[in-house]
Amino acid sequence: MALKDEIARRRTFAIISHPDAGKTTLTEKLLLFGGAIHVAGAVKSNKIKKTATSDWMEIEKQRGISVATSVMGFNYGDYKINILDTPGHQDFAEDTYRTLTAVDSVIIVVDVAKGVEQQTRKLMEVCRMRNTPVIIFVNKLDREGRDPFDILDELESELKIKVRPLSWPINIGAKFKGVYNIFEHSLDLFTPDKQRVSERVEIESVDDPRIDENVGEVDAAKLREDLELIEGVYPEFDVEEYLEGRVAPVFFGSALNTFGVKELLDCFVQIAPAPRATNAEEREIKPDEEGFSGFVFKIHANMDPNHRSCIAFVKVCSGKFERNAPYRHIRSGKTMKFAAPTAFMAQKKNIVDEAYPGDIVGIPDTGNFKIGDTLTSGETLHFKGLPSFSPEMFKYIENSDPMKAKQLDKGIQQLMDEGVAQLFVNQFNGRKIIGTVGQLQFEVIQYRLLHEYGAQCRWEPISLYKACWIESDDPEALAAFKKRKFQFMAVDREGRDVFLADSNYVLQMAQNDFPKIRFHFTSEF
Ligand code: G4P
């Protein structure tokens, strides 16, 4: 198959949700349709069991097991689908942010009873930054929940995106009868069954009497009324608007009952984007260019101290990736060949000979790779768009064993390369500060430094609100700011200036007092 056709048939996306909304269940059902698994319950996804939330060793074990499900590739009709899994635990949110840089679109799962929850809001912000097209699946319609119109309003206001229902539920909870598929004009009747696909009734239009026959006159009348309202309130669905990330189509269903999932998938493969151009610092790279290029968006470390090995996940951006072909690792300038790259198909990790744009290749690594690294056939390119976000928790990291200072430095450096957390060095006193999105990372870092590097660290408290990257077109204003705030200035790993604000108030005051300084809450600006 020609490169162009391989690209056109690929759909690489992530499913995101607040924990418990039904991401794992939906993923599993999509795999069932793709024939990648044959029974429900076969997916041990990145989902971290609730019982283990305080036991991070257990979490890491589960994460370790889930390497194989980090990417789930399968064929569906003519399409090649790659689902990139994201960790459910919010302490690993940074992993999710980075995964979102490697997808072409996103499906958001929302619980009909709970509506938009905190983590969904945050992840949507990341999608908005990149104009990633999103489809929303409102889940658990078999349970009592909120009025679908209220849900739509909430999606619009909380996720800050226009919405357009493409299916519509007939009642919810105990009285749930099915959904009307606005996209394809059909009626799907609900049968609570975890393994079976729902029954579809082909209809001509909303006036078709078969609707009344199947759901009863009262519900049919209500459906017609609702649909009329929808047509009046929401403009016609425009695929272009969706592709630009300006409108999100909404589907209703029940993942657990495999209801509404096929409709979602069928619409998804039709409208979701194939791999698109990627921006590098030098230029825009189109997927159908002949030369191979790709970037590392995730590094998964093996927790076994005897085998310090990792898998670097490379997203192919252009050309064809081939096993044993010489590729240039841009940061080091070295030429590398990969004898055992793996791809992820039907839940199995296999050695692959080739991969195409949109695909993810796993490369066994012993410490050569860093998040954001670019590989190419030769051209010097640096892919943009792997932002670090301001961490939410900060601690000083101190050496507890003076004999092992070198090991500690090396360990910290490598863990930061893997993207476990962020390091800032205070410009005033030279102390190292680690910033994370969750408490668990501090424990992970301490444990790994000891077991993998033989270094002992201890944490000391520091009260900080946010780290902001600062810049200005006026060097004098920048110098004045740094002078005034000298105790709170740090550098990140790239040597960029970072202001460590200890409270929201201080940050607001700084923004008011120094209008010429731009404050950024992500490292990409
Ligand atoms: P997550 O990955 O987003 O965290 O959610 P997950 O799919 O694990 O779903 C969370 C819980 O919600 C699970 O129940 C799951 O069975 C249930 N669920 C998912 N989809 C639906 C649905 O359409 N209807 C209903 N009623 N429930 C749904 P659990 O009891 O936490 O786990 P389990 O013991 O069933 O696995």
Side-chain angles (χ1 to χ4, degrees):
M1 201 184 282
L3 178 62
K4 257 198 156 74
D5 299 327
E6 288 286 1
I7 296 167
R9 74 187 196 95
R10 275 169 169 72
R11 300 285 181 274
T12 301
F13 72 105
I15 304 179
I16 56 178
S17 73
H18 192 84
D20 269 355
K23 178 169 75 77
T24 312
T25 313
L26 180 64
T27 308
E28 181 175 279
K29 297 306 161 90
L30 294 176
L31 294 178
L32 271 173
F33 283 117
I37 55 169
H38 299 288
V39 283
V43 175
K44 294 280 167 285
S45 150
N46 258 346
K47 185 172 168 65
I48 289 157
K49 293 201 183 73
K50 281 157 249 166
T51 47
T53 42
S54 57
D55 179 356
W56 72 266
M57 267 304 279
E58 188 53 36
I59 289 174
E60 277 299 330
K61 241 190 265 161
Q62 292 185 30
R63 265 158 56 88
I65 294 165
S66 66
V67 172
T69 58
S70 288
V71 182
M72 288 161 279
F74 62 91
N75 288 309
Y76 181 69
D78 293 335
Y79 296 96
K80 161 82 193 291
I81 297 187
N82 294 311
I83 307 180
L84 272 54
D85 200 8
T86 54
H89 200 290
Q90 62 175 17
D91 280 12
F92 295 98
E94 191 85 19
D95 269 9
T96 304
Y97 301 152
R98 277 192 297 258
T99 300
L100 293 182
T101 65
V103 299
D104 297 303
S105 69
V106 155
I107 293 179
I108 297 179
V109 185
V110 172
D111 183 325
V112 69
K114 294 188 179 147
V116 176
E117 294 169 90
Q118 185 221 352
Q119 202 158 332
T120 315
R121 219 174 285 131
K122 233 168 134 177
L123 294 169
M124 182 64 204
E125 267 174 45
V126 182
C127 296
R128 223 178 304 111
M129 275 168 62
R130 313 175 57 81
N131 299 323
T132 309
V134 302
I135 295 182
I136 301 171
F137 183 72
V138 180
N139 191 27
K140 307 197 186 182
L141 268 285
D142 59 315
R143 284 218 197 136
E144 298 307 323
R146 310 240 300 266
D147 178 76
F149 281 111
D150 288 349
I151 287 280
L152 290 180
D153 286 348
E154 184 173 311
L155 290 171
E156 223 162 51
S157 63
E158 294 282 331
L159 299 180
K160 301 192 180 68
I161 186 165
K162 282 195 291 175
V163 296
R164 176 54 160 106
L166 287 189
S167 79
W168 195 252
I170 302 165
N171 296 330
I172 69 172
K175 292 197 204 128
F176 181 49
K177 290 195 176 156
V179 294
Y180 180 82
N181 189 330
I182 303 173
F183 187 62
E184 290 185 338
H185 291 291
S186 62
L187 181 67
D188 293 299
L189 296 175
F190 176 67
T191 38
D193 187 330
K194 292 179 186 151
Q195 302 279 353
R196 238 189 49 205
V197 183
S198 51
E199 186 188 333
R200 171 166 288 199
V201 181
E202 294 302 334
I203 46 172
E204 302 285 318
S205 71
V206 279
D207 299 321
D208 199 314
R210 270 172 288 190
I211 300 180
D212 304 66
E213 284 160 26
N214 282 287
V215 304
E217 274 173 29
V218 177
D219 287 330
K222 172 82 171 55
L223 173 68
R224 287 186 187 110
E225 206 177 287
D226 285 353
L227 291 174
E228 204 174 314
L229 193 58
I230 290 169
E231 298 310 323
V233 173
Y234 297 97
E236 198 63 19
F237 174 62
D238 178 349
V239 180
E240 285 311 312
E241 270 197 294
Y242 154 72
L243 291 172
E244 287 163 12
R246 288 192 286 127
V247 65
V250 181
F251 286 84
F252 292 85
S254 165
L256 188 64
N257 295 291
T258 326
F259 190 77
V261 177
K262 189 166 187 300
E263 293 69 31
L264 172 75
L265 181 59
D266 286 338
C267 173
F268 169 80
V269 291
Q270 275 186 55
I271 66 170
R276 300 198 271 188
T278 321
N279 285 320
E281 277 166 26
E282 293 77 5
R283 63 184 187 87
E284 189 184 76
I285 288 92
K286 299 220 167 60
D288 58 355
E289 290 181 19
E290 215 166 282
F292 158 77
S293 67
F295 66 88
V296 177
F297 68 94
K298 170 171 169 160
I299 294 178
H300 204 296
N302 182 349
M303 289 299 289
D304 181 350
N306 300 319
H307 306 93
R308 218 202 105 72
S309 65
C310 302
I311 295 183
F313 290 80
V314 176
K315 156 102 189 254
V316 180
C317 295
S318 69
K320 183 160 109 177
F321 172 92
E322 286 172 295
R323 184 158 81 97
N324 279 325
Y327 292 127
R328 208 170 128 220
H329 179 238
I330 302 298
R331 186 169 50 83
S332 67
K334 282 188 209 157
T335 299
M336 298 177 171
K337 285 184 182 178
F338 306 108
T342 51
F344 308 84
M345 272 303 275
Q347 287 218 292
K348 286 198 193 73
K349 205 166 83 168
N350 296 319
I351 296 209
V352 279
D353 291 319
E354 53 189 42
Y356 295 91
D359 286 343
I360 310 298
V361 186
I363 296 179
D365 174 40
T366 49
N368 289 314
F369 289 111
K370 197 169 143 172
I371 295 237
D373 278 358
T374 304
L375 287 170
T376 73
S377 309
E379 186 179 349
T380 302
L381 293 173
H382 298 84
F383 282 105
K384 291 199 288 191
L386 282 158
S388 302
F389 292 83
S390 173
E392 282 159 27
M393 295 182 175
F394 300 86
K395 284 183 186 176
Y396 282 122
I397 185 165
E398 299 292 348
N399 187 6
S400 290
D401 180 353
M403 304 295 288
K404 299 280 173 65
K406 260 198 190 140
Q407 285 85 334
L408 184 71
D409 279 348
K410 182 169 175 222
I412 293 176
Q413 190 197 325
Q414 289 198 349
L415 294 183
M416 299 305 125
D417 285 351
E418 259 178 45
V420 175
Q422 292 179 61
L423 173 71
F424 303 101
V425 179
N426 189 308
Q427 295 181 15
F428 170 60
N429 56 19
R431 289 178 81 179
K432 290 192 170 103
I433 298 162
I434 301 284
T436 70
V437 287
Q439 177 60 32
L440 277 173
Q441 267 98 333
F442 292 113
E443 291 167 44
V444 171
I445 292 167
Q446 193 166 30
Y447 180 93
R448 291 190 55 189
L449 285 171
L450 183 63
H451 288 84
E452 293 171 34
Y453 301 91
Q456 282 188 40
C457 77
R458 64 170 195 280
W459 302 109
E460 286 191 9
I462 174 171
S463 165
L464 289 178
Y465 167 67
K466 268 207 162 90
C468 345
W469 284 264
I470 57 160
E471 58 161 2
S472 175
D473 299 327
D474 180 346
E476 275 175 30
L478 192 62
F481 180 84
K482 287 169 72 173
K483 197 168 164 204
R484 169 95 75 90
K485 301 284 182 192
F486 69 100
Q487 285 176 309
F488 298 97
M489 288 307 302
V491 282
D492 72 1
R493 297 192 63 224
E494 268 81 52
R496 287 178 299 187
D497 284 323
V498 175
F499 169 52
L500 304 171
D502 53 0
S503 71
N504 190 17
Y505 176 73
V506 165
L507 179 60
Q508 280 181 7
M509 289 298 284
Q511 284 171 319
N512 285 340
D513 294 350
F514 293 90
K516 288 185 176 161
I517 305 281
R518 290 187 292 276
F519 296 78
H520 302 282
F521 300 98
T522 72
S523 64
E524 185 188 286
F525 44 82

